[in-house]
Amino acid sequence: MEMEKRSRQSNKPPVRVSTQVTKLNMEITEMNHPSHPHTLTLKPPGVPYHCSGCQELGFGPSYRCDYDDCRFILHDECANAPSTGVHRFFKNSHFKFYEQPPGSKTRVCDACGKDILGFVYHCPRTEYDLHPCCMKLKESISDNGAKITLKLCNKVPSNCLKCNSRNTFNGIAGWSYASRDGKYCYHVSCVKEMVVEKWKMGYFSAGESNRTQMLDYESQVAMTSTEMMQIGQGSIGRTVSKYIRIAKIMFKLIFSAIFGDPISAIAALVEAMVSN
């Protein structure tokens, strides 16, 4: 972290973003980014990391600094963030990319409800803010068999399966991924919180014990979040099993939409979380 701080305090002027492809055993993309004085190299998905740009968790491809012990790292979407953007949920907003949140007050992402701590898309006129990773969320996601399709919603159609509420933890409505009929949904913020919490506890490290813990944890989450939905219904056992299965598949899809498709080791862990 000390090296990262020294890198950010470098007297070198910002370098205009550029990319170049170098042939080694494979094609490796390198770039110079205005937020960092050293060259960044594109790396394939590996262990989970903390993005130095938006300060959010990442699992997918990243741009990393190989200079000495510098630990600077950027999400692919943070490293290649366009200078401006629009979003269909905010039709009157024109977003500009900032390396630091503008103004003195604490800004909150209008998609996930989490604080903005670094890179952000901000509309000066409407005051809306989005994390780069939230800005790029897909409008719809489906499982391989297309049996379950989830749609990104800015108005939560039903209580979140995780928190059993329509609002996020800080009272913001936030976005959710919901089933076509609107009966099942997860807040984007709830999935983020769930994954970050377990990452901090070491659940994404290698080991069968961690994999089993995650499977048990997600089963408990799915069971708790659906218990209220079972009151007054028949065939309780089969109904609960159905809801748990749907909740797990939804979690897997949303995990990939937010964090990117994980490498095989993490994919196996996620698979365990959504297995019957």
Side-chain angles (χ1 to χ4, degrees):
M1 291 300 294
E2 187 63 31
M3 177 61 74
E4 178 180 331
K5 292 179 181 178
R6 290 201 298 270
S7 298
R8 290 191 174 191
Q9 296 171 354
S10 171
N11 292 324
K12 293 183 179 180
V15 182
R16 188 175 182 179
V17 176
S18 63
T19 60
Q20 52 184 315
V21 178
T22 304
K23 288 276 190 177
L24 293 175
N25 293 328
M26 59 179 292
E27 289 188 343
I28 301 176
T29 302
E30 297 182 340
M31 76 157 40
N32 294 317
H33 196 275
S35 65
H36 192 68
H38 308 139
T39 299
L40 304 178
T41 303
L42 179 63
K43 303 290 186 180
V47 296
Y49 57 87
H50 187 262
C51 178
S52 304
C54 67
Q55 306 300 319
E56 292 280 291
L57 186 64
F59 287 80
S62 60
Y63 283 86
R64 302 180 182 234
C65 180
D66 295 325
Y67 182 79
D68 292 341
D69 293 326
C70 185
R71 298 179 181 178
F72 191 85
I73 180 172
L74 293 177
H75 286 120
D76 185 9
E77 49 268 24
C78 285
N80 294 296
S83 59
T84 60
V86 294
H87 199 282
R88 67 186 182 92
F89 289 161
F90 305 108
K91 295 181 179 179
N92 297 320
S93 298
H94 296 277
F95 293 93
K96 295 182 179 179
F97 177 77
Y98 293 81
E99 291 185 11
Q100 293 294 331
S104 57
K105 70 176 184 179
T106 299
R107 309 205 68 86
V108 175
C109 177
D110 288 286
C112 69
K114 295 184 64 179
D115 288 349
I116 300 289
L117 303 175
F119 289 4
V120 60
Y121 279 100
H122 170 75
C123 177
R125 188 169 69 87
T126 61
E127 291 289 306
Y128 287 122
D129 300 278
L130 293 173
H131 287 120
C133 293
C134 290
M135 171 71 93
K136 62 89 182 178
L137 287 175
K138 295 179 180 179
E139 292 187 14
S140 65
I141 50 179
S142 302
D143 65 334
N144 292 333
K147 295 180 180 180
I148 294 181
T149 297
L150 306 179
K151 181 181 179 181
L152 184 65
C153 303
N154 61 338
K155 295 182 179 179
V156 182
S158 59
N159 286 351
C160 170
L161 290 174
K162 171 61 168 64
C163 67
N164 201 33
S165 171
R166 294 200 177 203
N167 293 327
T168 62
F169 61 93
N170 59 4
I172 292 178
W175 296 356
S176 69
Y177 273 107
S179 58
R180 289 176 176 174
D181 58 11
K183 292 182 178 179
Y184 312 99
C185 77
Y186 268 121
H187 284 126
V188 169
S189 61
C190 284
V191 174
K192 278 190 174 185
E193 286 294 313
M194 195 187 310
V195 172
V196 170
E197 175 190 353
K198 295 307 166 185
W199 171 63
K200 290 180 178 179
M201 296 175 64
Y203 276 62
F204 286 98
S205 59
E208 185 62 34
S209 61
N210 288 325
R211 187 170 304 158
T212 301
Q213 287 175 336
M214 282 297 281
L215 174 58
D216 292 342
Y217 172 77
E218 181 57 24
S219 295
Q220 292 167 9
V221 168
M223 175 66 77
T224 301
S225 63
T226 56
E227 282 176 346
M228 295 301 295
M229 303 169 65
Q230 315 309 317
I231 298 177
Q233 296 187 20
S235 303
I236 298 297
R238 291 194 300 272
T239 303
V240 170
S241 177
K242 171 188 173 183
Y243 281 123
I244 291 177
R245 179 180 62 83
I246 293 175
K248 289 181 179 182
I249 294 175
M250 287 180 63
F251 178 84
K252 176 184 176 183
L253 290 173
I254 301 171
F255 178 100
S256 296
I258 297 174
F259 298 105
D261 293 326
I263 59 172
S264 58
I266 299 175
L269 177 56
V270 178
E271 285 289 346
M273 293 164 59
V274 301
S275 62
N276 290 324

